Amino acid sequence: MSNAIFPAFIGLKWGVQKSPNWNSMVKKTASGRTFRSSFYAYPIWQFKLSFEVLRANVAYQEVQNLIGFFNQRKGRFDTFLYEDPDEHSVTGQVIGTTVSGQVEYRLVKNLGGFVEPIGAVNGTPTIYFDDVAISASLYDIDSNGYLIFHTAPLPGQVIKWTGQYYYRVAFTKDELDFEQFMKDLWEAKRVEFESVIT
């Protein structure tokens, strides 16, 4: 599992596509009654990016960098981190209430009233007990966004966090198409990846 960050290029086309996907089953009986099951606790987020211009000259090497990043992941084999340009931070996000003896809590985000875990932390977040910031020496945060206290905190305290985060994602295909349209100028019309639940 890689913590490499997806590179940013200026040639990204306006209108990134982002889709939450669920895995549900609906069975209908002969009488018309339906039975429904949902197999995911959280959605799999699918991202579709299109790069209209990727430079390939000595000064920029954007095509080379994207190809290298894709090949280092071995296509869809390895994960990486992606910062959504519009949705990548929380302020005073409630994680939960401390439980006696529990030292591990998952950092989460709230999008439209639905709470789900983040992929990884970007930078150094601030952790709060009952709206009071606590020292970073009291905890660690692992590469998958788990908050781990060195000793179990007193029960009944509301844990919140403020900070930035990444999605943990993987490419959806083992191939990536590039097309040259001028000297040293390329495009990659379909760069697709999806979130990975850890």
Side-chain angles (χ1 to χ4, degrees):
M1 183 171 8
S2 166
N3 287 321
I5 300 166
F6 187 76
F9 303 112
I10 62 167
L12 179 64
K13 180 182 176 183
W14 176 255
V16 172
Q17 293 183 25
K18 177 179 169 182
S19 308
N21 287 277
W22 292 89
N23 184 9
S24 302
M25 179 183 69
V26 178
K27 293 267 187 180
K28 188 176 280 191
T29 66
S31 67
R33 188 173 177 196
T34 58
F35 296 92
R36 300 172 186 271
S37 297
S38 180
F39 300 110
Y40 292 168
Y42 306 105
I44 300 295
W45 287 94
Q46 293 184 326
F47 297 90
K48 295 178 183 177
L49 281 58
S50 179
F51 292 95
E52 295 180 309
V53 177
L54 291 167
R55 297 168 288 188
N57 57 32
V58 175
Y60 295 103
Q61 298 192 357
E62 294 167 341
V63 169
Q64 297 90 326
N65 290 337
L66 184 53
I67 290 171
F69 186 86
F70 181 78
N71 288 339
Q72 289 167 2
R73 309 285 79 73
K74 299 180 181 179
R76 60 187 176 157
F77 172 74
D78 196 7
T79 66
F80 57 95
L81 302 176
Y82 172 68
E83 182 179 340
D84 184 304
D86 297 314
E87 185 219 333
H88 59 266
S89 65
V90 296
T91 302
Q93 172 65 57
V94 175
I95 299 168
T97 303
T98 55
V99 176
S100 181
Q102 184 174 335
V103 295
E104 188 173 284
Y105 297 84
R106 187 75 188 260
L107 296 181
V108 295
K109 64 185 178 84
N110 183 332
L111 183 59
F114 185 81
V115 177
E116 61 184 294
I118 65 161
V121 168
N122 178 1
T124 306
T126 303
I127 306 296
Y128 303 88
F129 281 160
D130 295 328
D131 294 323
V132 177
I134 64 171
S135 170
S137 65
L138 299 176
Y139 60 85
D140 293 312
I141 298 175
D142 75 6
S143 62
N144 290 318
Y146 283 92
L147 171 65
I148 304 163
F149 292 103
H150 299 159
T151 58
L154 295 173
Q157 300 178 90
V158 176
I159 313 170
K160 296 181 181 179
W161 80 289
T162 294
Q164 297 185 335
Y165 60 86
Y166 295 110
Y167 282 86
R168 180 168 295 284
V169 296
F171 289 108
T172 57
K173 298 179 182 177
D174 282 330
E175 65 275 342
L176 189 57
D177 295 326
F178 295 87
E179 184 177 334
Q180 185 175 21
F181 61 91
M182 290 181 77
K183 179 172 173 35
D184 294 334
L185 296 176
W186 294 71
E187 62 184 3
K189 293 181 180 177
R190 295 181 66 87
V191 179
E192 300 178 7
F193 43 86
E194 64 185 14
S195 63
V196 175
I197 296 173
T198 56

